[in-house]
Amino acid sequence: MAEAEKKTATEMERKLKKEEKAKEKEMKRQKASEKAKLAQVKSAKPKPVTDKKINKDEETPSDTPPGEKKRLSSQMAKQYNPSAVETSWYEWWERSGFFKAEAKSTKPKFVILLPPPNVTGVLHIGHALTCAVQDTLIRYKRMSGYNALWLPGFDHAGIATQDVVDKDLMRETGKTSRDIGREEFLKKAWKWTHKYSGTIKTQLRRLGSSLDWSRECFTMDEERSKAVVEAFVRLHKEGVIYRGDHLVNWDCFSRTARSEEEIDHVEIKGRTLRNVPGYEKPVEFGLMTSFAYPLEDGSGEVVVATTRVETMLGDTAIAVHPDDARYKHLHTKFVVHPFNKRKLPIVCDADLVDPELGTGCVKITPAHEQKDYELGKLHHLEAVNIFTNDGKINKNGGSEFEGMQRYVAREAVVEALRRKGLLRGVEDKDMRIGICSRSNDVVEPMLKPQWYVRCSTINKEALDAAGDGKLEIIPKQYSADWRRWLENVHDWCISRQILWGHRIPAWYATLEEDQLKKFGTYIDHWVVASNEEEAREEAAVKFAGKKLLDLSQDPDVLDTWFSSGLFPLSAFGWPDQTEELKAFYPGSVLETGLDILFFWVARMVPFSKVYLHPMVRDAHGRKMSKSLGNGIDPLEVINGESLAGLQTRLEKGNLDSKELVVAKEGQVKDFPNGIPECGADALRFALVSYTAQSYNINMDVQRVVCYRQWCNKLWNAVRFAMMKLGDDYKPPVKTMCLETMPFSCRWILSVLNKAVIKTVDSLNGFELADAANTVYSWWQYQFCDVFIEAIKPCFSGENSDRRHAQDTLWVCLETGLRMLHPFMPFVTEELWQRLPSPKGCEREASIMICEYPSPIEEWTNEKVEAEMEMVMATVKTIRTLRAAESMERQRNEKLHAFALCGNITTLEIVQSHELEIRTLASLSSFEVVLKGEDRSSQAGSAVVETVNENLKVYLKVDGAAIDPEAEREK
């Protein structure tokens, strides 16, 4: 039994390896084909993009009234025109209600939430990738019988929106948000939101995104705001949200706390100059400064070292490693601060000594938590904050330095220590600094009271979901990142010191008995409630018997990700128990970019699947950014844009003069002729095909151009088919008779069936690039390159083969377009609507609500496929002979060829498909002979090539074109 199982396992392993090798081979073939196409496009000299001129051979935009079904011209244009093809369809789809999902539907649900795009501006090409992937999935599921819901939303993007509105305000009025106050700033932010959410909606529609717009929501609308307040109040009552005094990453430029996920830790190798926002000249990092603290009794000094020497202005003690014999005897002594003359105790504490400094001394600054020390009669140490919110030295840092920016103070402190004779050295030091990914500021670690989410419970649930198999992360390699991050994450700081966002529903009570009346002084004086009325009731109970002088709401707002994390619930009406919540929550799949796996995804479980797509970079592998000029608006690819138009867009943005110069230079280099019009279908297909790359997508617009050209090939294939079908053709109502069909018809149906099976499997497995390549390969290499050519002889007269060819042609078009539709919705709708309908059968109004193709078992014919492989191998060999340089004079002539077969089986196969070989290889005649038969007279003026061990082909040519010695050797 065990031996049998072992044998079965071995066979299975061999089978899997074989399938994997076949898959790799297919991918290599497809990549080689793509590379060749791309090289062909790049080799052609591009024409500068200018104003469009009407081409009489192209389809022109229709005169369809908005929202009505598109009026198609009676004749198909000779060329594909994306702007003409893609007009009118979306408005009709939307008005017809094709995008809507029903809460009371009995169909199985499939729910995706569009990661709410920020209302900071317009969508970039990364958003287009999200839309292409999600719309492909949602259209596929909708066609597969699911109650498919794709829900649109928009994110208020607190800090990001405040930044861009502030820049706009400064440019227009010379004022900041702090100058005009909360109320006026919020008015301007809402105006900005309405403007750019409208722009984003236009972009989403132009991309063909089949979103259920009836459920559109915004993270700061009334319903979502209600959910945010309810969640905060509930979590505070449960002890998950608390007020704490911890270290935060403080952004001095934006004057707000930042989460750890917003910080990029940059390695600095020794002395390095770096630009910091708010400073006219670069700031020096990567230096270790050593200076001396004189002992209070005058008996010597203690030398300490730091990379942030300005923080010594807030020193409260000196830490000495207990194992350091040089200093351990000093632990009962004091040193004197050189600037404020404070006495600082010397503390023995290994935990506070930087391991990189060995067993020497370090200073205790606000970067350390408060800690009690038993030092005789000494009081506990207090951390002194020396920075204002904008990064200047406050009065705690001493009058000599008060008001200086922190890095200006750094230089001033070094110089002051030098004057006092206390500077002991400055040397290069490798270090890491935290850079805010949004503002580019170097964050300052500061002790500040903030609101926090206790992450231990939430993280455990997210970890357990992945561990128990309830949550599948695709691609699988990111499961390890998920676990690593959740196991090591700290409590989440959710306070932000800005104006735009959900104001924290917490009120601070100032009591008559308080010694310090400053707002926020006492952590236990806060009450959390849904509104001020409830807060006053809560305060009356909490502070019963005490006189309340004031109750003021926290001016801070919540981190944007707090409301975004609630989006899967709030989008369906939570905290109310709505029909939508019962029907659609939890979502089926969370599809998003790798960059927000921890920002958003980890805070939004439950989902059964998380599908992560790669990050989009430019063709050179660089991160897309406005300042480099390599950022692309999807509409610029869809509609086309001249270089002048691209540069005008930059000029209207928020770049400063230096950034604008760099950005324009980048555009001139990357898009010297502008961006040609490609259409939404080509862009979508290119982006989905790119998802085979696991981490980064190097986005090359020329690849989109390739798919735009492929749309033209698709267009012409259907145009040819429509001519062959004729005006009076009616498709078959019943199943076709396969037995009487021509060989090519049986073959194309068999390979179509395989393509359907593979595409469905790939889509179900979220292997979208594989699915796209399968569909592309069938249309390109089997339908267009082979079948259309092979059936041309069937139309030479009125016979049964003609009717079979017509029926097969129609079935292939109708099935192939449905198979392609989720990837390319516009062109497939346009072409499908042109197909004739079976007599007496009422078909669906739109291709998007048709059933997705499913396999038809009787179509599969392995024997026919194997024979066609031999046919195509023969044809390709003949084409190779024709392509030789020596054949230049006869390349376009129809020549005679014959096949020499090594056995009867091969002879019978090749003989039975003489017509297909002659047609596909463009031969005047084709003979098939068995090895041993005398054909010496023919072979004398022919070139020869081996197809396989049992088959050779000879192509009759002009004798002058033959190298006799070479052919004799063959």
Side-chain angles (χ1 to χ4, degrees):
M1 182 73 177
E3 197 63 37
E5 288 178 355
K6 187 176 179 182
K7 185 178 179 182
T8 304
T10 305
E11 288 174 352
M12 181 62 73
E13 187 177 355
R14 285 176 183 162
K15 184 180 179 183
L16 289 172
K17 283 183 179 178
K18 187 177 180 182
E19 288 176 353
E20 190 63 34
K21 283 184 179 178
K23 187 175 180 181
E24 285 178 10
K25 188 176 179 182
E26 176 67 13
M27 286 298 290
K28 284 180 181 177
R29 187 188 71 76
Q30 289 175 357
K31 284 181 180 177
S33 173
E34 287 294 322
K35 192 173 180 181
K37 283 175 62 188
L38 192 58
Q40 190 177 6
V41 172
K42 285 185 173 180
S43 64
K45 190 174 180 180
K47 296 178 181 178
V49 176
T50 55
D51 293 336
K52 296 172 188 173
K53 295 179 180 178
I54 295 175
N55 186 336
K56 64 181 181 180
D57 291 336
E58 288 186 346
E59 188 84 1
T60 55
S62 72
D63 56 354
T64 307
E68 289 189 14
K69 187 173 181 179
K70 189 172 182 179
R71 298 172 182 173
L72 298 175
S73 58
S74 57
Q75 296 293 321
M76 286 182 69
K78 292 181 181 179
Q79 293 181 25
Y80 164 76
N81 177 358
S83 59
V85 168
E86 294 176 3
T87 190
S88 300
W89 289 120
Y90 193 94
E91 292 82 358
W92 175 63
W93 290 333
E94 187 178 345
R95 179 182 259 188
S96 301
F98 296 151
F99 304 157
K100 289 184 178 180
E102 298 298 333
K104 295 180 180 179
S105 174
T106 57
K107 295 179 181 179
K109 73 168 185 178
F110 184 80
V111 180
I112 300 181
L113 278 71
L114 176 71
N118 296 345
V119 291
T120 48
V122 297
L123 299 183
H124 53 65
I125 209 74
H127 292 111
L129 172 61
T130 298
C131 290
V133 168
Q134 293 192 2
D135 198 41
T136 298
L137 289 171
I138 210 75
R139 285 178 183 270
Y140 164 65
K141 289 293 184 178
R142 190 183 287 122
M143 294 175 76
S144 299
Y146 284 79
N147 185 29
L149 171 61
W150 188 17
L151 193 143
F154 300 91
D155 199 311
H156 66 279
I159 291 177
T161 301
Q162 175 136 343
D163 286 347
V164 295
V165 176
D166 251 332
K167 282 184 179 179
D168 192 57
L169 183 65
M170 176 60 71
R171 188 171 56 248
E172 288 183 358
T173 66
K175 295 179 180 180
T176 68
S177 54
R178 292 175 181 84
D179 296 328
I180 66 174
R182 180 184 287 269
E183 190 176 336
E184 285 303 312
F185 179 81
L186 292 180
K187 286 180 183 177
K188 186 165 183 63
W190 275 108
K191 185 178 178 182
W192 180 279
T193 296
H194 293 315
K195 175 183 177 182
Y196 282 98
S197 63
T199 301
I200 292 169
K201 281 185 267 190
T202 299
Q203 289 179 298
L204 289 170
R205 287 181 164 96
R206 189 63 187 86
L207 281 161
S209 309
S210 57
L211 292 150
D212 186 346
W213 291 106
S214 66
R215 301 178 188 278
E216 176 194 335
C217 48
F218 176 52
T219 53
M220 273 181 63
D221 64 25
E222 190 175 341
E223 281 192 56
R224 265 43 67 181
S225 297
K226 175 184 173 183
V228 167
V229 170
E230 180 68 21
F232 190 96
V233 173
R234 285 193 194 184
L235 292 173
H236 182 263
K237 283 181 180 177
E238 294 169 8
V240 177
I241 288 180
Y242 66 95
R243 182 81 172 176
D245 202 4
H246 303 312
L247 271 180
V248 295
N249 295 305
W250 189 261
D251 182 337
C252 298
F253 185 74
S254 300
R255 305 185 195 183
T256 183
R258 297 285 191 175
S259 68
E260 185 62 31
E261 291 77 37
E262 293 173 280
I263 308 304
D264 297 325
H265 294 283
V266 178
E267 298 289 338
I268 300 291
K269 299 294 183 183
R271 189 184 303 256
T272 303
L273 289 173
R274 186 178 180 92
N275 290 321
V276 178
Y279 291 81
E280 291 182 3
K281 62 178 184 177
V283 175
E284 210 166 31
F285 295 93
L287 297 176
M288 178 70 80
T289 303
S290 301
F291 64 93
Y293 271 119
L295 290 168
E296 183 194 22
D297 60 9
S299 61
E301 63 182 31
V302 175
V303 177
V304 297
T306 178
T307 55
R308 298 163 61 232
V309 69
E310 68 279 6
T311 62
M312 63 85 63
L313 299 173
D315 282 358
T316 53
I318 303 299
V320 178
H321 200 290
D323 296 337
D324 194 329
R326 296 173 301 167
Y327 297 111
K328 63 189 300 183
H329 67 285
L330 299 173
H331 72 274
T332 59
K333 294 191 176 187
F334 292 84
V335 296
V336 179
H337 198 288
F339 301 124
N340 56 37
K341 303 307 178 184
R342 282 198 303 262
K343 290 198 304 181
L344 311 183
I346 299 174
V347 181
C348 283
D349 191 331
D351 292 338
L352 291 176
V353 178
D354 188 339
E356 292 185 11
L357 300 179
T359 57
C361 300
V362 295
K363 8 186 237 81
I364 298 178
T365 67
H368 297 290
E369 300 283 356
Q370 295 186 24
K371 190 169 183 178
D372 293 332
Y373 293 89
E374 295 293 331
L375 295 177
K377 296 180 180 179
L378 291 177
H379 295 289
H380 70 276
L381 303 173
E382 294 181 358
V384 177
N385 184 10
I386 61 164
F387 295 115
T388 59
N389 286 344
D390 58 353
K392 293 178 181 176
I393 305 299
N394 63 23
K395 62 182 180 180
N396 293 330
S399 58
E400 184 179 348
F401 307 99
E402 187 177 356
M404 287 185 182
Q405 289 180 300
R406 54 186 167 148
Y407 297 131
V408 174
R410 176 176 293 183
E411 295 178 357
V413 167
V414 171
E415 187 55 39
L417 288 169
R418 193 191 311 276
R419 288 198 307 268
K420 289 179 179 291
L422 297 175
L423 187 66
R424 294 292 176 265
V426 179
E427 59 186 27
D428 283 15
K429 172 69 177 174
D430 292 353
M431 60 183 292
R432 294 173 81 215
I433 57 174
I435 307 293
C436 176
S437 58
R438 293 191 181 278
S439 68
N440 211 33
D441 192 20
V442 179
V443 293
E444 193 71 40
M446 288 192 192
L447 266 178
K448 281 184 174 289
Q450 305 282 303
W451 293 98
Y452 288 87
V453 171
R454 212 179 301 276
C455 290
S456 53
T457 304
I458 299 172
N459 290 1
K460 186 178 183 305
E461 291 175 1
L463 275 168
D464 290 346
D468 297 343
K470 296 175 184 174
L471 174 66
E472 181 185 1
I473 297 176
I474 306 166
K476 289 181 180 179
Q477 65 259 36
Y478 296 108
S479 297
D481 294 337
W482 173 272
R483 177 165 291 279
R484 186 166 53 250
W485 186 82
L486 289 173
E487 286 176 340
N488 296 292
V489 74
H490 301 293
D491 286 356
W492 171 24
C493 173
I494 54 174
S495 304
R496 296 293 180 269
Q497 291 66 39
I498 58 175
L499 302 177
W500 178 242
H502 295 99
R503 195 166 174 184
I504 294 174
W507 282 258
Y508 182 77
T510 304
L511 306 177
E512 186 178 49
E513 65 181 39
D514 293 342
Q515 287 186 344
L516 300 173
K517 300 294 194 290
K518 184 181 177 183
F519 180 89
T521 301
Y522 302 102
I523 285 182
D524 63 352
H525 279 27
W526 289 93
V527 291
V528 171
S530 298
N531 52 55
E532 186 173 347
E533 184 181 348
E534 290 182 14
R536 291 197 175 278
E537 292 172 2
E538 185 81 20
V541 174
K542 184 172 182 177
F543 306 111
K546 299 177 182 180
K547 187 173 182 182
L548 182 67
L549 297 181
D550 184 56
L551 189 68
S552 299
Q553 187 175 359
D554 193 337
D556 292 353
V557 301
L558 287 164
D559 180 8
T560 300
W561 297 105
F562 187 87
S563 56
S564 300
L566 290 171
F567 191 66
L569 279 163
S570 63
F572 299 119
W574 185 89
D576 297 333
Q577 294 302 308
T578 63
E579 282 189 358
E580 283 73 16
L581 189 65
K582 294 172 186 174
F584 299 119
Y585 182 82
S588 309
V589 179
L590 178 61
E591 191 284 332
T592 189
L594 289 167
D595 56 331
I596 59 172
L597 175 60
F598 308 124
F599 280 102
W600 197 47
V601 180
R603 292 161 181 157
M604 290 178 63
V605 174
F607 284 93
S608 58
K609 287 180 171 59
V610 173
Y611 175 70
L612 302 168
H613 65 241
M615 301 306 300
V616 182
R617 295 179 176 270
D618 70 7
H620 313 293
R622 301 174 302 173
K623 184 177 180 179
M624 287 192 174
S625 71
K626 294 175 183 176
S627 57
L628 288 175
N630 61 351
I632 303 172
D633 180 339
L635 296 188
E636 292 170 344
V637 181
I638 293 172
N639 301 326
E641 186 59 270
S642 65
L643 176 60
L646 294 173
Q647 303 224 315
T648 299
R649 189 247 301 165
L650 285 179
E651 291 164 0
K652 291 179 179 178
N654 283 330
L655 299 180
D656 62 36
S657 56
K658 291 180 182 177
E659 289 175 328
L660 185 60
V661 171
V662 173
K664 282 189 170 183
E665 288 174 352
Q667 285 188 338
V668 170
K669 184 178 178 182
D670 287 346
F671 310 113
N673 299 294
I675 299 175
E677 178 191 21
C678 296
D681 283 330
L683 175 60
R684 288 167 58 116
F685 202 86
L687 290 170
V688 169
S689 299
Y690 265 127
T691 58
Q693 300 175 19
S694 60
Y695 191 77
N696 285 325
I697 288 174
N698 292 351
M699 174 70 187
D700 190 341
V701 172
Q702 288 304 319
R703 184 164 178 174
V704 188
V705 174
C706 287
Y707 286 119
R708 188 247 190 252
Q709 292 173 343
W710 183 65
C711 286
N712 191 59
K713 185 161 189 174
L714 189 73
W715 180 269
N716 286 329
V718 175
R719 184 167 166 268
F720 163 82
M722 296 299 288
M723 287 190 293
K724 295 302 178 186
L725 292 178
D727 295 338
D728 300 327
Y729 172 77
K730 288 297 176 185
V733 178
K734 297 179 181 179
T735 306
M736 296 178 292
C737 181
L738 297 171
E739 292 78 13
T740 58
M741 275 187 177
F743 168 75
S744 297
C745 294
R746 283 178 285 142
W747 169 78
I748 194 63
L749 291 178
S750 184
V751 292
L752 173 57
N753 207 42
K754 275 193 174 177
V756 168
I757 292 169
K758 190 175 179 183
T759 303
V760 168
D761 286 347
S762 296
L763 287 171
N764 288 336
F766 295 90
E767 295 177 339
L768 271 66
D770 283 354
N773 286 330
T774 299
V775 176
Y776 176 89
S777 295
W778 180 83
W779 273 102
Q780 177 74 19
Y781 305 121
Q782 294 172 329
F783 182 77
C784 292
D785 289 358
V786 179
F787 179 67
I788 281 183
E789 297 301 321
I791 61 170
K792 283 181 178 178
C794 296
F795 294 98
S796 58
E798 292 294 336
N799 51 54
S800 61
D801 281 356
R802 179 187 180 90
R803 180 65 196 190
H804 282 310
Q806 286 179 318
D807 290 348
T808 308
L809 194 58
W810 181 88
V811 167
C812 284
L813 291 176
E814 204 277 338
T815 307
L817 289 172
R818 284 188 287 127
M819 186 166 63
L820 178 60
H821 176 75
F823 306 93
M824 290 184 160
F826 292 105
V827 71
T828 52
E829 181 75 89
E830 177 103 359
L831 295 174
W832 185 84
Q833 293 287 352
R834 288 186 175 276
L835 294 180
S837 302
K839 190 174 182 180
C841 293
E842 187 175 340
R843 68 175 182 178
E844 297 288 359
S846 167
I847 190 174
M848 70 167 290
I849 54 174
C850 289
E851 287 185 17
Y852 198 77
S854 55
I856 299 175
E857 190 176 346
E858 55 266 30
W859 283 5
T860 300
N861 193 324
E862 297 291 348
K863 180 176 178 293
V864 165
E865 287 189 45
E867 290 183 10
M868 182 57 97
E869 279 187 25
M870 186 178 289
V871 168
M872 290 311 301
T874 305
V875 169
K876 286 175 183 175
T877 304
I878 295 171
R879 287 174 179 172
T880 301
L881 290 172
R882 271 184 172 280
E885 286 185 24
S886 58
M887 293 286 295
E888 184 67 37
R889 284 189 305 157
Q890 293 181 278
R891 190 161 293 172
N892 297 321
E893 292 179 24
K894 286 199 170 187
L895 303 175
H896 171 72
F898 69 91
L900 183 63
C901 303
N903 54 46
I904 293 293
T905 302
T906 304
L907 177 79
E908 289 174 350
I909 293 173
V910 177
Q911 219 164 31
S912 64
H913 302 306
E914 176 269 332
L915 176 61
E916 284 84 5
I917 293 172
R918 181 159 47 84
T919 303
L920 293 169
S922 298
L923 298 172
S924 59
S925 60
F926 183 64
E927 285 186 77
V928 186
V929 297
L930 187 64
K931 189 176 182 181
E933 294 182 10
D934 184 15
R935 286 293 187 271
S936 56
S937 60
Q938 293 185 12
S941 59
V943 289
V944 62
E945 193 61 72
T946 300
V947 178
N948 59 43
E949 59 184 5
N950 294 311
L951 181 62
K952 285 188 174 76
V953 288
Y954 292 78
L955 183 66
K956 292 279 286 181
V957 295
D958 185 339
I962 297 176
D963 180 347
E965 288 300 321
E967 296 307 316
R968 227 184 325 271
E969 187 178 336
K970 288 182 186 179

